[in-house]
Amino acid sequence: MSSSKTKRWHGNVEAIKPEFLNGVIGQMAAYGDRVHFSMFGSVQKPHYEVINSFDKKMAFDGNHHLHRAEDDEFGAGNVTPIFTLEQIKRIIATGGSGVRSSTPRSARAASARSAGGARPMTAAARAREAIDGEKYAYFKANREMLPEGINQYSDDISALMLKGMSAEQAFGEIIEKHFG
């Protein structure tokens, strides 16, 4: 006998609980108007990427926290089609009957077979994730004061932080270098 907690999710967005989708809407309101979901994760809490109008993507885990995605996590065959904010709201409003996944069953089955078990996180990956979380929190708290286009230097900011700078120092250096 299996419960919904042990079932692997195969891309049917209608199966995601409205409570979780409300959290997705919260991240979309802050970071972008489109989203797609990874086949990684569970039906209750799949990983997802919010996409903004510049096609920049921000990945989140099943708890709506910033997430450093694996290389293939949001690659072809491992992701749902892109949904707009309005489509997600419609899915919630209609109790899951608003949109159907267009991922073919064979592609979903193949991605489920190739996903395998969870890989252990290395110390370097944990450090990157911690830096990304700090960078994200600083950006979110200060986005009104930051120059437009700062997001283009995200990797540079991360590199500075990996060398020991705080988020505030790294953002400051990038602003001085490219916007000052």
Side-chain angles (χ1 to χ4, degrees):
M1 177 182 220
S2 73
S3 71
S4 62
K5 290 187 183 228
T6 61
K7 288 183 183 173
R8 183 162 170 80
W9 183 57
H10 296 293
N12 182 358
V13 176
E14 295 174 356
I16 301 172
K17 295 195 181 279
E19 296 81 16
F20 181 81
L21 290 175
N22 283 326
V24 172
I25 286 175
Q27 298 296 19
M28 290 176 77
Y31 300 105
D33 60 347
R34 295 170 291 149
V35 67
H36 59 183
F37 299 89
S38 170
M39 299 300 176
F40 290 51
S42 68
V43 69
Q44 286 87 14
K45 297 182 174 186
H47 297 175
Y48 60 97
E49 276 186 323
V50 174
I51 308 164
N52 71 15
S53 58
F54 299 108
D55 286 329
K56 296 287 184 179
K57 298 173 181 175
M58 188 170 283
F60 295 92
D61 66 13
N63 293 316
H64 308 293
H65 298 141
L66 190 63
H67 171 66
R68 167 102 19 219
E70 297 288 330
D71 291 338
D72 60 346
E73 183 172 351
F74 291 97
N78 288 334
V79 70
T80 66
I82 294 173
F83 295 91
T84 65
L85 181 59
E86 295 308 314
Q87 287 174 313
I88 298 297
K89 287 180 179 178
R90 192 174 324 121
I91 291 169
I92 293 170
T94 60
S97 61
V99 177
R100 295 234 179 253
S101 171
S102 64
T103 306
R105 177 175 286 183
S106 60
R108 291 192 307 259
S111 73
R113 284 190 302 273
S114 68
R119 292 181 232 161
M121 186 178 277
T122 65
R126 282 192 298 275
R128 268 303 271 210
E129 195 166 283
I131 283 173
D132 285 343
E134 183 183 342
K135 180 175 65 173
Y136 166 73
Y138 183 85
F139 176 81
K140 188 173 180 180
N142 297 287
R143 91 173 115 213
E144 300 299 323
M145 298 181 299
L146 294 171
E148 190 170 321
I150 189 90
N151 57 346
Q152 296 175 30
Y153 301 97
S154 177
D155 290 337
D156 296 339
I157 293 167
S158 293
L160 291 170
M161 291 175 70
L162 281 170
K163 292 178 183 175
M165 285 190 179
S166 69
E168 183 176 8
Q169 292 168 328
F171 272 89
E173 185 165 317
I174 294 298
I175 290 169
E176 186 177 310
K177 184 176 180 181
H178 297 285
F179 298 95

